[in-house]
DNA sequence: GAGATGTAGTTGTATATACAATTATCGTCT
DNA sequence: AGACGATAATTGTATATACAACTACATCTC
């Protein structure tokens, strides 16, 4: 993997980014972990994103799209399309709310079943991920998310 | 945000996923942090992914696509398309390597300039991200990535 | 109550991501 | 030399993601 470099000299700042950039690390780690979960979930016909949404919707009961966006820090247009796909699969049902602008999403029985059947696979992925991050890493992650919600870094949309 | 739930009872396991899932948290956090960096970088005409690739390529010197995939845990087809876009921008140059199958990527002067000009914006985003994660969080993140590379969770492609 | 302002969701467009299949090349073995 | 298996990259297809623009509805203000 280490290759002979034809020009070893380049700005110090670039080296700094390479060594310290939080986004690089976080994105890299997320790619790896996402792959882990998706591979576990694939036989269940679910992606980790879809599972996220099903779980959030289950917890919220009848949820407005914006509520789900808020808890997942998801952009509204992203969710809109995710929901499209999941409605096509009949995992989510859309009802119009009292306010003519809003709608309410609800997990269908089929969606709930799909989710439940995926739990064992999730558990396996979760164990591997836990091993990879270590207990302190997981704890730090939890704290960061709590902070994020508290500080309310404006969520998109 | 807390809404009246029409059905408060649903499987315990689902609650468990909601409260503990590492993928949910990591992805959520990554969405937020990615947004942070992208907003900072947008005036410089760079995305965080593109910056990642420029930095990796700069550090490696002449890099084979697979080398970049390896250090960033990126799937080869993903990189292939990212590189396409960046070649169109003239930030990367592709030369054919000695082996007829491989190619070598090199950051062009234009690419290097674009990257350097983006550093101040990066620095601002980095500070905010650091604040958000806290020093322990950042340290844990660093450790996790080091571990990931050590344990060599097979990278894709 | 009509127009201004604001909010919820969808649609247009682009990037980022990955898996599967394909293409092109390489190396080896006979 | 030719066949076969391995490797590097590209291409086909689908999901995930976000910003900007738009649509439809609501609320506020005068």
């Amino acid at each position: 993997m280490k290759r002979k470099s034809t020009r070893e000299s380049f700005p110090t700042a670039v080296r700094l980014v390479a060594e310290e950039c939080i986004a690089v690390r976080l994105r890299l780690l997320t790619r790896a972990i996402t792959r882990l979960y998706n591979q576990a979930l694939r036989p269940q016909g679910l992606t980790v994103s879809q599972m996220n949404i099903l779980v959030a919707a289950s917890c919220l009961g009848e949820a407005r799209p914006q509520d789900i966006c808020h808890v997942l820090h998801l952009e509204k247009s992203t969710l809109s399309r995710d929901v499209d796909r999941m409605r096509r699969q009949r995992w989510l049902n859309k009802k119009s709310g009292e306010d003519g602008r809003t709608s309410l999403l609800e997990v269908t029985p089929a969606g709930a079943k799909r989710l439940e059947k995926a739990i064992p696979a999730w558990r396996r992925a979760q164990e591997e991920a836990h091993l990879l991050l270590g207990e302190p890493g997981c704890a730090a992650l939890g704290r960061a998310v709590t902070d994020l919600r508290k500080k309310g870094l404006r969520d998109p949309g």
Side-chain angles (χ1 to χ4, degrees), chain A:
Chain A
M1 181 211 105
K2 190 65 159 46
R3 286 178 53 72
K4 180 185 53 170
S5 173
T6 50
R7 41 178 200 133
E8 199 58 79
S9 77
F10 61 91
T12 318
V14 173
R15 176 70 70 185
L16 183 70
V17 177
E19 288 176 355
E20 310 242 312
C21 182
I22 293 167
V24 170
R25 294 179 184 181
L26 205 47
R27 290 168 58 80
L28 182 158
L29 192 60
T30 299
R31 278 193 291 273
I33 297 284
T34 296
R35 204 150 38 232
L36 190 67
Y37 282 80
N38 275 338
Q39 278 169 5
L41 293 173
R42 189 161 317 117
Q44 310 303 321
L46 261 186
T47 66
V48 70
S49 293
Q50 292 165 351
M51 193 192 66
N52 290 178
I53 293 170
L54 282 178
V55 168
S58 293
C59 289
L60 291 169
E62 280 181 341
R64 294 170 301 175
Q66 49 174 336
D67 296 332
I68 297 178
C69 285
H70 183 75
V71 300
L72 295 179
H73 272 259
L74 252 184
E75 217 277 335
K76 61 193 171 167
S77 65
T78 302
L79 181 68
S80 180
R81 274 139 175 151
D82 291 345
V83 166
D84 280 350
R85 283 184 281 267
M86 295 173 72
R87 291 218 300 154
R88 263 181 262 133
Q89 302 275 5
R90 312 280 171 189
W91 297 338
L92 287 180
N93 186 29
K94 180 164 92 166
K95 313 195 284 187
S96 30
E98 296 161 16
D99 188 327
R101 289 168 297 185
T102 63
S103 46
L104 292 176
L105 298 174
E106 191 184 34
V107 179
T108 65
K113 192 166 169 187
R114 176 74 56 147
L115 176 55
E116 278 191 68
K117 284 189 65 175
I119 302 274
W122 169 81
R123 219 180 273 276
R124 286 192 293 277
Q126 177 80 356
E127 268 177 42
E128 258 192 88
H130 196 280
L131 223 64
L132 209 64
L133 266 68
E135 181 46 40
C138 290
L141 181 58
R143 247 177 287 123
V145 171
T146 306
D147 274 16
L148 179 63
R149 292 198 166 122
K150 207 169 296 173
K151 297 187 191 171
L153 188 66
R154 105 178 168 295
D155 47 13

